Amino acid sequence: MSTSPARIAGSAWGRWPRYRHQIERVHARTADPALTAASTWLPWGNGRSYGDSCQNDGGGLLDTRGLDHFIRFDDQTGVLECEPGVTLADIITLCLPRGWFLPVTPGTSFVTVGGAIANDVHGKNHHRAGSFNDHVDGFELWRSDGSRRWCSPQENSDWFAATAGGLGLTGLITRARLRLRRVPGPALAGQSRRFGDLAEFFALSATGDRAYEYTVAWLDCVGRRRGRGIYMAANHAQADCAAPSGRPLSMPITPPVSLVNPLSLAAFNRLYYHRPSAEQRDAVWHYRPFFYPLDSIYNWNRMYGPRGFFQYQCVVPMDGARDALDALLARISRARGGSFLAVLKVFGDRPAPGLLSFPRPGATLALDFPNTGAAVLALLDALDDIVREAGGAVYPAKDARMPGAAFRQYFPAWQAFSDYIDPRFSSSFWRRVMDTET
Amino acid sequence: MKKTVIVGATSTIAASLAREFAARGYPLLLAGRRRAQLDILADDLTVRGADQAAVLELDANDPDAPQRLLAEADARLGGVDICVIAHGTLSDQAACEQSVDKTLAEIQTNMLSQVALCTVLANHLEAQGSGHIVVLSSVAGDRGRQSNYVYGSAKAGMTAFTSGLRQRLHKSGVAVMTVKPGFVDSAMTAHIENKGALWAQPDAVAKSIMRGMNRGAPVVYTPWFWWGIMQIIKNIPERVFRRIRL
Ligand SMILES: Cc1cc2nc3c(=O)[nH]c(=O)nc-3n(C[C@H](O)[C@H](O)[C@H](O)COP(=O)(O)OP(=O)(O)OC[C@H]3O[C@@H](n4cnc5c(N)ncnc54)[C@H](O)[C@@H]3O)c2cc1C
Ligand SMILES: NC(=O)c1ccc[n+]([C@@H]2O[C@H](COP(=O)([O-])OP(=O)(O)OC[C@H]3O[C@@H](n4cnc5c(N)ncnc54)[C@H](OP(=O)(O)O)[C@@H]3O)[C@@H](O)[C@H]2O)c1
């Protein structure tokens, strides 16, 4: 059935900025998408990127949610071939009962395989497993000239490196082959430890990251003791653990003002730090609360009110990481902006598979801030200054505002990458960071 | 392990329903017009647990469609326990008003082809003494409205036909279920802009069809609140109804 493309808001997770797009559904992986009317196009996964890297203001989005078919799964080897609109949650539902799990997972299971490839996403096991594309055997890339090529680390390896972390700009991924990892079941076992400052964090991380596959820390960036937090570490384990009960909650409406403000932040952070389960030597978690704590509240992003919010995730090299992180936290507490959830982790040393991959050796800090307009933008620019000075980088998947000059410093391969961009593809993010005025 | 045949298997709603069957391990025969898409579905459903997923290229409007379907089900699955009839086209009402041929073609696809399939299947299942026929009708069949009465009257025909068939087959242990979806976000409705709160996703609709089948429901409105909406629409007095735009 031929359908005229619908116009809807293809909003991103941060709910700012919000553009309207022409939407074209991709119906079948074997058929060429019709790139009509709009001048440029961008694949759309599930809109779990926060800013404008999954938007294309004035252009079109290729909605890939209909490309959600599995192609084959070998439960002896764990090799899974599927279409790019399959979500990580779909994969877990299918494969966990057969003893397999994702080799790398971000903090939400509601992302698609295409989105995970295009942002080369990372998880709590980066120090062991690298990023998502380290476990991708290959994928088929469709280009607007009608060509299709299989890209893998061996075949068309330059296209593989450009497309892994390539922000959807090199063409449409139409199918992918992943290598899953064996697990004994849904449980994780490990520990949860309070730390009083960044020095203690790095000490815990140095030993913990050797013993545990998954490690991550939550930081209190509101309290007076800067750098205190909770370090969590776990391995897949054979253990009894009940699946979380109850139906997911939902944020049914957008409140007129942000519910995240200095008061609620202070209260939340204090409670979170002092809750009894923050210190546990023999913790057992079900994978869902461990990996995806926010997936049980649908539309939690609405709590920031109609103006949305910003995420900010940076990485700074290990050498000098403590000072840089301390400077970032000091700057944030001075702005009294707070952050509802601040997450800290040490990345491993493995060279990233993509030209524009974000993960690199160092310590990574992720924060979110309600959109308070000029005030928060000034704060984020100040954070950029610290990250640039330290020789770090900021994550495009979570960005809606980094200056072009900062991007080009963070991702020096951008020029080599540009040769691989499909002439009919573009994004709001890309036009923004390529603007040489900034 | 119920042997399940789906006509119009490329339909968005049917594809979601097929995933429910696959998760339960049912062997499937997928019948439809687009071979490439049927193959994509068959691979997907096999990975999802279907005992097997065979495909049959079939135009429901072909006169020998019912016989070919039954023969293929016998050959590939060794019989039929469940038959889902999901094919359909959302008629272009304005074009139909100007063309008898178009109108009759819509009635052919949305009613007559289904009547033929149901008749042949009913006799087969009646002889077998068990089975489940599931027909996707629509809330549009509950009352003819000027905006889509060609489509609506075909659906009304199927609602009445399946109601009678249900009564007839009750004593032979064959169940017949009439499904009446409301607005569903599918390929059929992809061109409609600004889908509001009344719109449902195909996977939710598929789950409710599955629940209806499990409890042996005769008629399922999905989502459920359409039952209430249609009670109101059916009860608007004719003298008022005539004058409003619906
Ligand atoms: C709660 C939460 C936690 C998160 N935690 C993490 C984390 O721990 N680590 C991390 O790395 N990220 C994290 N993220 C970010 C998220 O994983 C990425 O933004 C991810 O890429 C989103 O995937 P998506 O399917 O929603 O794709 P979208 O956001 O819709 O698109 C992302 C990019 O993929 C491209 N794309 C999508 N499909 C295709 C295709 N078929 N072919 C080519 N390009 C395609 C798009 O063009 C776009 O550039 C988190 C996000 C949320 C909301
Ligand atoms: N979506 C709604 O809002 C809604 C509401 C109420 C009822 N329904 C009913 O639900 C059923 C499924 O619809 P859907 O929403 O899933 O729409 P859909 O995705 O458009 O599915 C309709 C399918 O019917 C197939 N078909 C049409 N004519 C055929 C023929 N002669 N032979 C074989 N197959 C044929 C089409 O196959 P091709 O791929 O070959 O074109 C298409 O895949 C339909 O009966 C529809 O009327 C839908």
Side-chain angles (χ1 to χ4, degrees):
Chain A
M1 170 181 279
S2 84
T3 52
S4 68
R7 248 179 197 287
I8 56 164
S11 172
W13 199 244
R15 297 169 59 80
W16 191 92
R18 305 180 73 164
Y19 297 130
R20 286 176 71 77
H21 300 91
Q22 181 173 331
I23 309 281
E24 185 74 41
R25 295 192 196 206
V26 187
H27 288 292
R29 69 168 184 269
T30 46
D32 293 346
L35 305 185
T36 50
S39 53
T40 64
W41 292 89
L42 182 72
W44 198 76
N46 203 22
R48 254 50 181 193
S49 300
Y50 285 81
D52 56 358
S53 68
C54 62
Q55 301 196 71
N56 186 20
D57 187 23
L61 296 178
L62 292 173
D63 181 350
T64 62
R65 281 176 307 173
L67 299 185
D68 67 344
H69 301 101
F70 291 112
I71 300 170
R72 63 184 72 83
F73 177 55
D74 180 340
D75 58 12
Q76 296 305 304
T77 60
V79 173
L80 173 73
E81 193 172 325
C82 64
E83 293 182 349
V86 166
T87 67
L88 302 189
D90 296 337
I91 294 179
I92 296 172
T93 306
L94 178 81
C95 301
L96 184 56
R98 304 183 199 183
W100 297 94
F101 198 74
L102 299 161
V104 163
T105 177
T108 171
S109 61
F110 301 141
V111 310
T112 63
V113 167
I117 292 174
N119 275 320
D120 194 21
V121 300
H122 59 271
K124 297 176 168 68
N125 62 351
H126 183 272
H127 61 288
R128 287 281 181 84
S131 51
F132 196 80
N133 288 292
D134 283 313
H135 308 271
V136 172
D137 264 357
F139 45 76
E140 184 183 73
L141 183 69
W142 176 87
R143 303 260 298 171
S144 65
D145 61 7
S147 65
R148 286 171 190 266
R149 43 171 81 64
W150 182 256
C151 312
S152 76
Q154 294 78 34
E155 206 176 326
N156 294 310
S157 57
D158 54 336
W159 287 97
F160 183 85
T163 304
L167 302 169
L169 298 168
T170 62
L172 179 74
I173 297 162
T174 52
R175 62 192 165 95
R177 195 149 65 219
L178 323 174
R179 265 169 288 115
L180 305 186
R181 52 112 65 222
R182 272 248 178 248
V183 292
L188 291 122
Q191 43 173 293
S192 172
R193 308 274 298 271
R194 289 198 186 93
F195 56 86
D197 56 27
L198 288 174
E200 271 180 50
F201 162 76
F202 281 108
L204 274 174
S205 166
T207 51
D209 288 11
R210 252 177 275 135
Y212 291 99
E213 170 166 1
Y214 300 101
T215 66
V216 71
W218 164 83
L219 266 189
D220 175 357
C221 35
V222 182
R224 248 171 303 137
R225 281 205 57 184
R226 191 156 73 226
R228 76 174 181 181
I230 299 164
Y231 175 80
M232 277 178 291
N235 288 318
H236 289 287
Q238 178 92 54
D240 282 335
C241 71
S245 56
R247 286 161 66 92
L249 305 172
S250 172
M251 192 78 186
I253 52 152
T254 306
V257 295
S258 173
L259 301 181
V260 183
N261 55 47
L263 265 178
S264 64
L265 274 172
F268 172 82
N269 279 271
R270 198 168 324 113
L271 270 175
Y272 199 83
Y273 185 78
H274 289 292
R275 84 207 142 94
S277 60
E279 187 74 29
Q280 262 182 298
R281 296 298 163 116
D282 303 295
V284 174
W285 289 278
H286 185 267
Y287 78 88
R288 265 189 304 219
F290 185 80
F291 288 123
Y292 314 120
L294 291 168
D295 282 3
S296 58
I297 312 172
Y298 292 156
N299 302 320
W300 60 264
N301 54 343
R302 289 182 181 163
M303 80 183 169
Y304 286 92
R307 300 172 72 184
F309 65 109
F310 291 97
Q311 271 263 331
Y312 188 84
Q313 182 171 356
C314 62
V315 55
V316 290
M318 278 311 268
D319 190 23
R322 239 179 76 191
D323 291 344
L325 290 173
D326 200 55
L328 290 166
L329 295 179
R331 187 66 187 78
I332 293 164
S333 78
R334 196 140 44 89
R336 301 180 46 79
S339 171
F340 196 60
L341 271 184
V343 176
L344 179 61
K345 156 151 196 81
V346 175
F347 278 152
D349 291 335
R350 193 199 279 230
L355 288 179
L356 296 188
S357 287
F358 165 72
R360 60 197 71 188
T364 180
L365 176 67
L367 309 149
D368 46 42
F369 303 97
N371 181 3
T372 53
V376 68
L377 288 171
L379 169 64
L380 297 177
D381 280 347
L383 300 186
D384 264 347
D385 290 341
I386 299 169
V387 174
R388 288 176 79 170
E389 174 76 30
V394 169
Y395 193 8
K398 300 189 173 181
D399 180 69
R401 38 67 48 197
M402 75 168 98
F407 172 80
R408 296 188 294 271
Q409 177 187 331
Y410 299 149
F411 297 90
W414 69 270
Q415 255 164 327
F417 169 78
S418 304
D419 293 343
Y420 293 89
I421 297 177
D422 188 299
R424 294 294 311 276
F425 281 42
S426 184
S427 70
S428 296
F429 174 86
W430 192 252
R431 290 189 294 275
R432 181 164 61 75
V433 298
M434 283 299 113
D435 181 351
T436 44
E437 303 285 299
T438 60
Chain B
M1 298 283 269
K2 296 180 177 151
K3 303 175 193 106
T4 301
V5 174
I6 305 178
V7 185
T10 52
S11 121
T12 316
I13 297 174
S16 288
L17 184 57
R19 289 183 178 178
E20 297 292 322
F21 297 144
R24 289 163 177 79
Y26 297 179
L28 304 171
L29 174 63
L30 310 172
R33 292 187 297 194
R34 283 184 294 139
R35 180 57 195 253
Q37 189 63 15
L38 291 172
D39 287 339
I40 285 173
L41 292 168
D43 285 346
D44 177 65
L45 295 164
T46 307
V47 172
R48 288 176 191 270
D51 180 61
Q52 64 159 305
V55 305
L56 170 65
E57 238 178 286
L58 183 88
D59 185 326
N61 287 328
D62 282 350
D64 63 350
Q67 278 72 24
R68 276 186 60 214
L69 186 73
L70 260 189
E72 196 71 10
D74 262 335
R76 306 295 291 275
L77 309 184
V80 183
D81 296 311
I82 297 174
C83 178
V84 178
I85 297 183
H87 66 280
T89 49
L90 187 57
S91 320
D92 180 342
Q93 174 66 30
C96 286
E97 286 165 16
Q98 302 308 319
S99 158
V100 173
D101 285 350
K102 279 204 174 102
T103 300
L104 296 185
E106 291 298 331
I107 302 286
Q108 167 63 36
T109 301
N110 290 310
M111 182 177 176
L112 300 183
S113 69
Q114 307 190 0
V115 164
L117 283 160
C118 283
T119 302
V120 172
L121 268 148
N123 295 342
H124 180 84
L125 297 180
E126 186 178 38
Q128 173 176 307
S130 69
H132 212 143
I133 298 177
V134 177
V135 175
L136 291 190
S137 180
S138 171
V139 294
D142 277 13
R143 190 165 191 179
R145 290 172 291 117
Q146 60 179 324
S147 57
N148 72 345
Y149 64 83
V150 173
Y151 175 79
S153 57
K155 292 297 189 186
M158 285 320 294
T159 296
F161 189 90
T162 47
S163 165
L165 200 59
R166 179 159 48 242
Q167 258 195 325
R168 173 191 142 198
L169 295 180
H170 177 71
K171 55 185 173 300
S172 14
V174 177
V176 178
M177 181 163 107
T178 315
V179 182
K180 299 182 180 179
F183 297 151
V184 187
D185 186 8
S186 75
M188 187 176 272
T189 54
H191 59 288
I192 298 174
E193 295 185 13
N194 297 324
K195 298 192 168 77
L198 289 179
W199 286 81
Q201 288 305 312
D203 54 341
V205 167
K207 284 202 164 60
S208 91
I209 296 174
M210 195 72 222
R211 279 195 302 272
M213 291 178 66
N214 285 340
R215 62 168 200 273
V219 179
V220 169
Y221 282 87
T222 170
W224 57 272
F225 55 76
W226 281 95
W227 180 83
I229 295 175
M230 296 321 293
Q231 291 318 300
I232 295 169
I233 291 182
K234 281 196 283 192
N235 284 301
I236 299 173
E238 191 59 41
R239 69 192 137 72
V240 178
F241 192 72
R242 241 180 277 158
R243 275 181 270 132
I244 55 181
R245 290 184 54 203
L246 259 180

